[in-house]
Amino acid sequence: MDRTTPEPEVTPEAPPADTSDDIQHNTPAEEAAPAKGVAAEHAVSSERGGVEEATAEEGPAGEAPVGEGATAAEGKPEEEPAVDIDTDKDTDAASDKASGAREEGPAEEAPEGEKKTPSGEAPAVEESTAAEETLAAEETPAEEETPAAEKAPAVEGSTASGQDNSDQDTSDPDTSVGDGPAGPPDEPAAPRKWRDRHPVAARNVGWTVTGLSLLLICFALLMPTSAPKFTPGVFLRIPVEAVLGAAVLIVLPRRPRIAVAILAGASLGVLTVLNLLDVGFNMFLGRGFNVVLDWVLFDDAQSYLKDTMGNGGAIGAVIAVMALVLIVLVLMTLAVLRVSNVMTRNRDAASRVTLVVGTAWVTCAALGLQLSGPGIAARTTVARVEDRVNRVQATLKDEAAFAKEAKKDAFGGTPGDQLLTDLRGKDVMIAFIESYGRSAIEDEATAAGVDATLDAKNEALTKAGYSAKSGWLTSATYGGSSWLGHSTFLSGLWINNQNRYRTVTAGEHLTLTGAFQRTGAWRTVGVMPGVQKNWPEGKFYGLDNVYDSRELGYEGPKFSWSTMPDQYALSAFERLEHGKKRDKPLMSEIILTSSHQPWAPIPKMIPWDQVGDGSVYEGIEKAGKDPADVFYDSKKVKEEYGKSIQYSVNSLIDYVVKYGSKNTVLVFLGDHQPLASVSGSNASRDVPVSIVAHDKSVLDKIDDWGWTDGIKPDKSAPVWRMDSFRDRFLTAYGSTPAKR
């Protein structure tokens, strides 16, 4: 007769059992009691002598599990039948029936980790400890059988009727009988996933992540590009980009949807980074970030950080910025993917919500509904993209247009003997005071100290025989990029971006300093303490010699960004040029840097004969304030800014009073307004400009300008664009435009 399972092992303590083929095929109910007794004895033996391998007899796949006291057909306990030796027909028929059942409905493959019997027909039961089996055997009498309908089968995935019950739990030690070696008594159960063990917490975390992802996307779509506009009302709007994006992602198949979500998330991340750059540029430079021209400014920003924070601080700041950019890109991409997946799993609900929100947007747009300023129906990102595209196009067009403009010059062809004829024999100084803007004179936080200094220095000039007139100029830059203000003032061209600066300095456009050089009547020099490397632009400006920070002989400490105090720079100028005997008058361009941000520490005025090589400033620098304690405090930063302007004005005017002569003519001005945190978010770009002369006839030449007497311009004084000064100055002092 065909045997479908191996011979069962019988322990020595078990009662004698008939192992003939006929008995092998008896029904499970006939062997329930003795089999259960064997299992109990195995468990007791395992507890006494250690862990032993427990085996259980496995019948054909179609038979009921060992130890069950009920048939699968009835699902209730039945009396134990007498053992009938002559049951070959019945048992063969039952075997054939079970085999047929297996052919019609094969049991599902056992889950990973479960063992199979040598024949590979039935999956192994889950392991249980011997101690648990012993306890079950002792507590449950053999004669009290649990109905089959209430107990899980011993062999997972099969029943007496041959049906697949692989999804039933067979981990109950009372009903599980392993057909392989049992695990050690102290072996823990296989750990389940965290979300299976904590379904409520997992669901809450999932919804929280989805909500945060949606908020992040809306924030990126609605964020403004200037700090003062970050108000709650800006974010209480409906972004049309979110509605359109949701509609597209809902209808796309899986693979295209994932690709589009990744692309959309990365693009939104890039736009967010550009918006953050706009915020920073508006705060410091009063304008948005130009994606074509402004990349070069990051090198200057790194140099500034190095000067103010040290090399380590600058490296740390660069790493932090790079990490922030990467985090924004990754988080935005993951957020879009997350929301996309949730919408796909809940497609019907997502479609209804998208339709409702889209309808609300159309309604608000049609009615022009507003909430505390901006309209509820927002298209911020679309407008930003359009604006950036327009700015790029305008920048590219401007490059070609400005190149033609720079070639036009009313005084470009004027011979030297026809330039500046009314200033011959005068020592002319053109001095720029860093960040000296209109706010220094008119802002309440700084005006009191600065105005008092201007009044005092004006009185000192008057006592020394000097006169002055002052007005306003609108700078081409704001908050920084001082070289744009310098080049605009000297060239007579509007240099408001780096591309224009490169274009004009690469050409031969006549500058104001170059006009002095062309005459041959002046020696022209530049004092540039802020220049720390080669400066080829000196040739464009028409300077015979340039003294940068390496050539001024300074041996003292730096004052934050400023390489040396203004008083020292002027003292070095006196020692190296102005105080020497010359066969020509001197025309000098001087850049004063002590009022450069972050306005701490600030030098102090000392007697001129004690300046020396600058080492005297060691104690002054150490006693000064820490930049970090000043720059990020809105009140302190204004106070210290005002003090720095006072120091620069004191240095310059005291120098003129002490070292000037009857032939001295001083033109001094600010290059730009300070950054918005000092000057205010709506501040103008105006800077004060003054002309000081000992010879009163010099000022008589500009009587028709309408400027205010003294070195403090009145609020009603004329305001000109900075690029108009060159031609006005050349014309006032005897220059003749070239004939065309």
Side-chain angles (χ1 to χ4, degrees):
M1 181 177 293
D2 183 22
R3 290 178 179 159
T4 59
T5 58
E7 294 289 335
E9 294 181 8
V10 181
T11 59
E13 294 79 8
D18 192 341
T19 58
S20 66
D21 292 341
D22 293 336
I23 297 176
Q24 177 76 19
H25 293 283
N26 282 338
T27 61
E30 294 174 317
E31 296 182 31
K36 204 162 194 177
V38 172
E41 289 176 353
H42 270 292
V44 172
S45 175
S46 173
E47 183 178 13
R48 292 173 181 174
V51 178
E52 298 178 359
E53 293 184 0
T55 60
E57 180 180 0
E58 181 182 282
E63 295 181 4
V66 177
E68 296 290 351
T71 63
E74 297 180 3
K76 61 183 179 179
E78 66 181 34
E79 295 181 359
E80 189 173 319
V83 177
D84 187 0
I85 304 300
D86 298 327
T87 56
D88 289 344
K89 281 186 177 182
D90 296 335
T91 55
D92 288 343
S95 177
D96 293 340
K97 185 177 181 180
S99 299
R102 287 196 301 271
E103 292 175 1
E104 293 175 4
E108 293 181 5
E109 185 178 351
E112 185 178 352
E114 292 183 1
K115 298 180 180 179
K116 292 185 178 181
T117 61
S119 64
E121 293 176 0
V125 298
E126 296 180 6
E127 295 180 355
S128 61
T129 63
E132 292 172 335
E133 292 178 355
T134 303
L135 182 60
E138 292 176 351
E139 292 181 356
T140 306
E143 64 271 21
E144 295 181 9
E145 297 292 334
T146 304
E150 298 177 3
K151 292 178 60 179
V155 181
E156 183 179 343
S158 62
T159 65
S161 63
Q163 296 178 352
D164 185 7
N165 285 336
S166 59
D167 59 342
Q168 296 183 13
D169 184 9
T170 61
S171 60
D172 188 351
D174 292 338
T175 59
S176 297
V177 179
D179 58 355
D186 58 349
E187 181 177 344
R192 294 184 296 171
K193 292 182 178 180
W194 178 84
R195 63 178 57 196
D196 294 333
R197 289 184 282 113
H198 306 281
V200 176
R203 184 167 58 253
N204 292 338
V205 169
W207 282 112
T208 300
V209 172
T210 302
L212 291 176
S213 298
L214 188 59
L215 288 176
L216 182 63
I217 293 171
C218 291
F219 175 85
L221 292 174
L222 295 172
M223 70 174 293
T225 55
S226 61
K229 294 182 179 180
F230 275 81
T231 59
V234 171
F235 298 100
L236 298 177
R237 299 185 296 159
I238 305 173
V240 68
E241 301 85 1
V243 178
L244 297 176
V248 171
L249 292 174
I250 288 173
V251 301
L252 285 177
R254 181 177 181 276
R255 290 188 177 181
R257 173 180 59 81
I258 292 176
V260 170
I262 292 175
L263 179 61
S267 300
L268 193 57
V270 171
L271 290 174
T272 302
V273 171
L274 293 177
N275 288 340
L276 291 174
L277 287 173
D278 277 344
V279 172
F281 270 66
N282 279 314
M283 182 180 298
F284 285 89
L285 302 180
R287 61 176 178 81
F289 176 74
N290 190 309
V291 296
V292 178
L293 304 176
D294 288 339
W295 300 105
V296 67
L297 297 181
F298 289 111
D299 183 54
D300 297 304
Q302 184 182 13
S303 299
Y304 169 74
L305 291 174
K306 184 177 180 180
D307 292 330
T308 56
M309 303 172 59
N311 191 47
I315 294 175
V318 171
I319 293 175
V321 170
M322 294 176 63
L324 176 62
V325 171
L326 183 61
I327 289 172
V328 169
L329 293 175
V330 172
L331 285 182
M332 206 62 66
T333 303
L334 293 177
V336 175
L337 278 172
R338 174 76 182 187
V339 173
S340 172
N341 291 335
V342 171
M343 289 192 303
T344 303
R345 291 196 299 268
N346 304 273
R347 195 180 300 273
D348 292 341
S351 299
R352 289 193 295 270
V353 171
T354 301
L355 181 61
V356 170
V357 175
T359 303
W361 188 93
V362 172
T363 303
C364 293
L367 299 178
L369 299 181
Q370 294 181 337
L371 183 64
S372 67
I376 296 177
R379 55 186 301 273
T380 305
T381 300
V382 173
R384 295 265 165 75
V385 172
E386 291 176 351
D387 178 63
R388 293 188 191 283
V389 171
N390 292 336
R391 277 193 280 171
V392 169
Q393 293 175 345
T395 299
L396 297 177
K397 291 180 180 179
D398 179 73
E399 182 177 359
F402 181 74
K404 295 179 180 179
E405 181 183 350
K407 293 179 180 179
K408 299 177 182 179
D409 189 351
F411 294 92
T414 302
D417 59 356
Q418 298 179 23
L419 291 171
L420 300 165
T421 55
D422 294 338
L423 287 176
R424 299 299 170 95
K426 306 295 184 183
D427 287 329
V428 180
M429 298 171 57
I430 299 176
F432 292 93
I433 297 179
E434 172 67 34
S435 301
Y436 180 31
R438 186 163 190 157
S439 61
I441 297 175
E442 297 181 352
D443 191 286
E444 293 181 358
T446 58
V450 173
D451 288 353
T453 297
L454 292 174
D455 291 340
K457 294 301 130 181
N458 193 71
E459 184 177 350
L461 286 170
T462 301
K463 289 181 178 180
Y466 291 91
S467 300
K469 287 184 178 293
S470 301
W472 303 104
L473 298 176
T474 301
S475 177
T477 185
Y478 174 96
S481 301
S482 300
W483 58 92
L484 302 181
H486 303 163
S487 58
T488 297
F489 180 81
L490 296 174
S491 69
L493 295 170
W494 190 251
I495 315 297
N496 62 343
N497 60 57
Q498 190 65 20
N499 191 58
R500 286 191 165 209
Y501 179 78
R502 288 195 298 262
T503 299
V504 71
T505 55
E508 298 180 352
H509 193 87
L510 183 67
T511 62
L512 189 57
T513 49
F516 282 93
Q517 185 189 51
R518 181 182 291 185
T519 65
W522 281 274
R523 171 173 167 78
T524 58
V525 299
V527 179
M528 310 287 177
V531 175
Q532 303 178 50
K533 53 188 177 182
N534 294 335
W535 191 56
E537 291 91 332
K539 181 179 179 181
F540 164 74
Y541 286 110
L543 300 174
D544 297 328
N545 191 37
V546 174
Y547 296 95
D548 61 24
S549 61
R550 301 165 297 180
E551 298 172 323
L552 291 172
Y554 182 64
E555 298 295 336
K558 293 179 65 175
F559 283 76
S560 191
W561 183 88
S562 181
T563 58
M564 62 192 71
D566 291 345
Q567 187 181 8
Y568 177 86
L570 292 166
S571 177
F573 168 64
E574 179 66 20
R575 182 181 72 253
L576 296 171
E577 283 287 347
H578 188 264
K580 293 182 176 180
K581 291 183 178 181
R582 293 171 268 99
D583 56 355
K584 294 180 180 180
L586 188 66
M587 196 293 305
S588 55
E589 178 190 356
I590 303 173
I591 311 296
L592 302 179
T593 62
S594 290
S595 53
H596 194 287
Q597 64 187 31
W599 305 297
I602 301 173
K604 297 183 181 299
M605 292 296 296
I606 59 176
W608 289 90
D609 57 0
Q610 295 181 15
V611 173
D613 63 359
S615 57
V616 68
Y617 290 103
E618 289 284 354
I620 297 176
E621 189 272 338
K622 290 180 180 179
K625 296 183 178 180
D626 191 318
D629 295 336
V630 171
F631 192 69
Y632 301 104
D633 187 307
S634 59
K635 182 179 180 180
K636 289 182 179 179
V637 71
K638 287 189 174 186
E639 294 175 352
E640 297 306 308
Y641 162 72
K643 292 177 182 178
S644 72
I645 296 298
Q646 296 176 50
Y647 170 77
S648 294
V649 171
N650 280 326
S651 298
L652 181 61
I653 301 303
D654 285 359
Y655 173 82
V656 171
V657 170
K658 182 174 180 61
Y659 296 107
S661 67
K662 293 181 180 180
N663 290 322
T664 296
V665 175
L666 169 66
V667 180
F668 76 97
L669 69 154
D671 47 18
H672 55 73
Q673 282 266 51
L675 55 87
S677 61
V678 174
S679 61
S681 57
N682 297 317
S684 70
R685 297 194 175 198
D686 297 345
V687 298
V689 57
S690 303
I691 297 180
V692 179
H694 199 284
D695 185 352
K696 193 175 183 304
S697 64
V698 172
L699 298 180
D700 291 341
K701 299 290 184 181
I702 61 171
D703 270 344
D704 59 343
W705 287 7
W707 283 15
T708 304
D709 290 336
I711 60 175
K712 183 178 74 173
D714 189 77
K715 292 182 178 181
S716 60
V719 180
W720 303 336
R721 284 205 347 171
M722 189 177 279
D723 57 340
S724 68
F725 183 84
R726 187 205 71 160
D727 288 2
R728 290 176 181 270
F729 187 86
L730 290 174
T731 301
Y733 293 106
S735 303
T736 304
K739 295 181 180 180
R740 298 182 179 179

